[in-house]
Amino acid sequence: MINVERIAALEGHQNPIYSVENSVNANAVYTAGNDKGIVEWDLENFTPKVVFPVKSSVYALYTLKEQQLLAVGERSGQLTIADPELRKAALISTHHKKPIFEITSIKRKNELLAASEDGTVSVWDLNNFTFLYNFNVSADTVRCIAVNRDETLAAFGCKDNLIQIYSLDDYSLQHTLTAHTMPITSLQFSPDGKQLLSGARDARLNIWDTADFTLQESIVAHLFSIYDIEFHPSLPYFATASRDKSIKIWSSETFKLRKNISREKGMDAHMLSVNKIAWEPNKGHLISVSDDKLVMVWDIQANV
């Protein structure tokens, strides 16, 4: 049994919100979208603070916890790595000329990856914030990235319906996964590394066995695109967010649906597409952002 309570609906953004990421500070998150600034929300008193301005829509946020920095990917293709407290940039790059949709890091190599609409992934040295190289993944957009637990593999989700699996030792292609029939919009490795979960515009949630990357199960999980997949930091379930305005909670052991958070189920949920979600690690709250310009905070209690 899962009980869900919406504990806050935060107003402040004037346009759709595309990204949410845990802050370098405890009990806080960053949000950004089609506004001209990145906002930090204090989750104790639910107050906003503009961290720093941006020139175009923000599609990707990624917190570098060890360095206490925030990486930002914009619609313009600009990549910024900045100290959000000092509002000082360590890197501002226009290497990409098309939007950046996802950013992540490889901690064992101290490298940053940025995926772009130009079909490439750029690699950056976090020791001195310099460009190392980029490699072509797709003839079209690379929309999302997932890195496995031991940082040996990265999965890239592409607009051409393919998932490309690369070695993180030398960035060589290892596998190409082909089950989805529409562009890939979300990816996540399970915490134990045994499965890769993928979501796409075909509304399917696919579960892949990472031993050989065979398809274990394919679930019609939503009505429209699945925009995000996020595992709970400690409990055996995960959440999916969709263009169909819903958030769904699933068992990570059986992959069965446990809860549908939506207005259709009588909940005071988002009215438009849910674009991104994040688990706040201290209290386990789920944070969601939407085209409806709201940041929602959910208390989710489960008997597991």
Side-chain angles (χ1 to χ4, degrees):
M1 183 72 176
I2 288 184
N3 297 310
V4 176
E5 179 186 0
R6 194 190 78 175
I7 58 177
L10 308 178
E11 300 179 359
H13 283 280
Q14 302 302 309
N15 290 288
I17 313 168
Y18 302 134
S19 191
V20 57
E21 175 79 347
N22 282 299
S23 170
V24 297
N25 299 307
N27 300 313
V29 294
Y30 302 117
T31 58
N34 199 27
D35 291 332
K36 296 300 181 184
I38 296 166
V39 177
E40 182 182 46
W41 299 88
D42 183 327
L43 296 180
E44 294 293 335
N45 54 31
F46 302 120
T47 54
K49 176 181 70 175
V50 176
V51 177
F52 55 84
V54 290
K55 295 180 179 179
S56 63
S57 297
V58 173
Y59 292 156
L61 295 173
Y62 182 76
T63 301
L64 293 155
K65 285 285 188 182
E66 291 79 5
Q67 296 93 339
Q68 294 287 285
L69 299 173
L70 177 65
V72 181
E74 296 187 37
R75 184 174 183 267
S76 66
Q78 179 169 304
L79 172 67
T80 303
I81 301 177
D83 184 324
E85 300 301 305
L86 299 178
R87 302 188 180 190
K88 182 179 179 181
L91 169 71
I92 299 176
S93 169
T94 56
H95 167 79
H96 291 288
K97 306 304 179 186
K98 292 185 177 181
I100 293 172
F101 283 107
E102 186 85 286
I103 302 170
T104 193
S105 68
I106 314 302
K107 294 179 178 63
R108 70 179 177 90
K109 300 175 73 177
N110 212 23
E111 293 177 353
L112 186 86
L113 307 183
S116 172
E117 188 179 298
D118 62 19
T120 72
V121 174
S122 57
V123 184
W124 303 81
D125 188 336
L126 289 174
N127 294 301
N128 52 20
F129 304 105
T130 56
F131 173 75
L132 294 176
Y133 39 83
N134 71 289
F135 54 99
N136 190 77
V137 173
S138 174
D140 209 328
T141 303
V142 182
R143 178 63 184 264
C144 46
I145 310 173
V147 174
N148 67 349
R149 180 177 62 176
D150 59 6
E151 297 188 324
T152 58
L153 296 173
F156 301 102
C158 306
K159 191 177 180 180
D160 59 10
N161 312 348
L162 301 179
I163 301 167
Q164 305 285 13
I165 309 297
Y166 276 71
S167 165
L168 288 176
D169 290 328
D170 58 3
Y171 296 110
S172 60
L173 180 62
Q174 303 295 305
H175 304 275
T176 297
L177 312 184
T178 62
H180 284 288
T181 59
M182 296 185 75
I184 313 303
T185 48
S186 54
L187 290 168
Q188 199 69 247
F189 282 96
S190 60
D192 62 10
K194 293 181 179 180
Q195 287 98 18
L196 172 68
L197 276 60
S198 61
R201 288 186 187 171
D202 59 17
R204 286 190 172 274
L205 177 68
N206 285 351
I207 296 99
W208 307 84
D209 184 339
T210 58
D212 55 8
F213 286 99
T214 54
L215 184 63
Q216 285 185 306
E217 192 169 354
S218 185
I219 303 164
V220 181
H222 286 271
L223 298 176
F224 301 111
S225 302
I226 302 171
Y227 282 151
D228 204 6
I229 304 167
E230 296 292 340
F231 281 86
H232 190 279
S234 59
L235 298 175
Y237 53 88
F238 64 93
T240 56
S242 173
R243 186 185 171 195
D244 69 10
K245 312 172 191 177
S246 74
I247 302 165
K248 292 186 177 181
I249 310 296
W250 307 79
S251 166
S252 58
E253 297 171 334
T254 64
F255 299 103
K256 301 299 183 184
L257 179 63
R258 300 287 302 277
K259 196 74 174 183
N260 183 344
I261 304 171
S262 65
R263 300 183 83 83
E264 285 72 16
K265 293 298 182 180
M267 305 185 71
D268 197 5
H270 288 290
M271 294 183 289
L272 296 173
S273 172
V274 185
N275 297 324
K276 209 75 174 176
I277 49 179
W279 294 100
E280 189 281 319
N282 295 316
K283 295 183 179 179
H285 291 152
L286 183 67
I287 317 300
S288 58
V289 298
S290 167
D291 277 359
D292 64 14
K293 310 172 190 176
L294 294 175
V295 180
M296 292 192 179
V297 183
W298 304 92
D299 180 52
I300 298 175
Q301 300 293 330
N303 296 320
V304 294

